[in-house]
Amino acid sequence: MELQSTLERYALQLKNTPRTLVSVAGVVEKMMKTLYDAHFPEAENHRPGRNPDCPDSDILTIAWLLEYISADSEHSGYRRLKAELRSVFPCLPERSRFNRRRRNLWGASEVIRRTLTQFLPHTDVYIVEAFPMPICDEKRAKASKSDLKWADGSGTLATYGHCATKSLGTFFGFRGHLLTTHQGVPVDVAIAGANIDDREVLRLMAENRNYPILLGDKGYVSEALHKELLATENTCLLPTLRRNQKHQYPKDFRKQHGKMRRRIETTISQLTQQFGVSRIRARNQWGLQTRMSNKIGACLLGTFLNQCLGRPLMKLKDLILA
């Protein structure tokens, strides 16, 4: 509670002031340093050599802000932040060194991201949805020389998949799996090959987690999975039922179910348009995991700031006033 109170106190500094990029970055820098020091005290002092001029917390702050400002190009986005935020971050490294340090801090980014979720409103109802993450069109897959075509230590491998709802048809790449609260706040995310069944990924995402009720689309229909999650994780899976199924939900529940599920579609749309979660610019698995962690972390950061400022949680676009 003390950590949360400290973060809220920093966030409230934006309450009655214009939320410019400089003012928001100054507040986020204090929050990130507090979070980093709470989880990794004296981490930089335990490494060989002298401490870098730019601390790890500043690297993480810029990494998250870089995803938040939704720059079309990482090069131009980093150049903009380095120029406009010189007063807040006077010792930012050049871009290639920044990227190396950002990838090395992927684990720290994940820890801080999960910590932020604990400070957001809790709920008993969660929603799960998958979305495509194509590397390239089906026709260019064989000619592609991307390192993402080869599995890394986790076994994640770009494969062929099909998506009828996004007008993609058959594509080559990955599928992202997002889990949110009923308000649309991202709680967890996973990346899997495009040909892996959504139900298999959900089984892993729900393991040892507290998700009392899970809503999903027709891709999660499985009596066996429903019974397994109920028995092992105490999770009730309620997917959208197919019309030809014998047992159907009551009419009022079907209406409410559909209304709540539309919330995650809005969140995926926000993550796609503002944070570019479905656009893969990474060259390898390490970079892909790092960028995804930074994108979801930046979204959660905006949600937490909105909560402190009394704004709608997922009103993210105008949090930083241009």
Side-chain angles (χ1 to χ4, degrees):
M1 289 300 294
E2 183 179 350
L3 178 59
Q4 182 177 353
S5 300
T6 303
L7 298 179
E8 290 174 348
R9 189 168 63 251
Y10 287 140
L12 287 174
Q13 294 177 8
L14 298 171
K15 186 72 173 177
N16 298 313
T17 60
R19 297 186 305 275
T20 62
L21 180 59
V22 174
S23 63
V24 172
V27 168
V28 174
E29 186 270 336
K30 296 175 185 176
M31 295 171 62
M32 190 65 75
K33 178 173 175 54
T34 301
L35 286 164
Y36 187 83
D37 290 345
H39 290 287
F40 308 98
E42 301 295 325
E44 294 174 343
N45 295 331
H46 296 160
R47 299 173 191 161
R50 71 179 185 87
N51 291 342
D53 295 330
C54 183
D56 290 347
S57 59
D58 284 4
I59 296 293
L60 288 171
T61 303
I62 292 296
W64 286 23
L65 287 176
L66 191 60
E67 302 297 348
Y68 199 97
I69 63 173
S70 57
D72 292 333
S73 163
E74 181 187 286
H75 177 71
S76 62
Y78 186 69
R79 185 170 56 187
R80 175 194 170 189
L81 292 182
K82 193 171 183 179
E84 295 187 19
L85 302 179
R86 189 177 300 274
S87 60
V88 184
F89 307 100
C91 300
L92 287 178
E94 52 90 21
R95 189 168 64 93
S96 61
R97 183 166 180 80
F98 163 77
N99 278 326
R100 287 197 298 272
R101 292 187 62 187
R102 175 169 68 165
R103 290 193 297 271
N104 288 333
L105 291 169
W106 168 76
S109 178
E110 275 293 281
V111 170
I112 293 173
R113 178 183 72 80
R114 293 188 181 278
T115 300
L116 278 179
T117 62
Q118 300 173 13
F119 302 151
L120 294 169
H122 296 284
T123 178
D124 288 334
V125 180
Y126 294 84
I127 316 170
V128 63
E129 182 82 43
F131 58 92
M133 299 173 61
I135 293 178
C136 60
D137 187 75
E138 176 191 10
K139 298 176 183 178
R140 297 178 53 202
K142 292 184 179 179
S144 173
K145 298 180 180 179
S146 171
D147 290 342
L148 297 170
K149 294 175 68 174
W150 314 106
D152 70 344
S154 67
T156 306
L157 173 69
T159 54
Y160 289 98
H162 185 78
C163 180
T165 58
K166 306 291 184 186
S167 302
L168 279 176
T170 302
F171 67 95
F172 182 75
F174 301 94
R175 205 181 297 274
H177 300 263
L178 183 69
L179 202 148
T180 73
T181 67
H182 73 280
Q183 295 173 305
V185 179
V187 173
D188 203 359
V189 66
I191 302 173
N195 65 341
I196 296 180
D197 195 304
D198 295 349
R199 291 165 289 195
E200 293 300 317
V201 179
L202 178 61
R203 181 178 282 108
L204 296 176
M205 293 180 73
E207 189 174 356
N208 298 324
R209 302 290 171 83
N210 182 26
Y211 302 137
I213 301 174
L214 267 177
L215 308 183
D217 61 12
K218 296 177 183 178
Y220 297 95
V221 173
S222 170
E223 186 66 24
L225 179 60
H226 173 83
K227 293 179 179 179
E228 178 183 339
L229 291 179
L230 199 59
T232 60
E233 308 297 338
N234 200 25
T235 295
C236 181
L237 176 62
L238 299 173
T240 302
L241 300 180
R242 299 186 178 94
R243 292 184 179 180
N244 61 354
Q245 287 187 253
K246 183 176 180 181
H247 300 288
Q248 295 288 332
Y249 301 136
K251 184 178 179 180
D252 291 343
F253 181 80
R254 288 201 306 270
K255 184 177 180 180
Q256 187 67 18
H257 185 282
K259 182 179 180 181
M260 295 183 72
R261 271 205 62 255
R262 282 194 290 272
R263 179 59 258 188
I264 195 173
E265 294 173 1
T266 303
T267 297
I268 291 176
S269 178
Q270 285 182 283
L271 290 172
T272 300
Q273 294 176 17
Q274 182 174 351
F275 299 92
V277 292
S278 62
R279 188 174 64 240
I280 296 179
R281 296 285 177 85
R283 295 182 179 179
N284 52 44
Q285 299 282 352
W286 193 9
L288 176 60
Q289 291 174 331
T290 302
R291 292 293 295 272
M292 182 60 73
S293 176
N294 293 164
K295 291 175 189 294
I296 303 300
C299 178
L300 283 171
L301 177 65
T303 305
F304 180 76
L305 289 175
N306 279 335
Q307 175 181 268
C308 296
L309 298 175
R311 289 161 44 88
L313 291 180
M314 296 303 294
K315 191 177 181 182
L316 303 174
K317 195 70 175 178
D318 65 342
L319 180 60
I320 300 178
L321 303 177

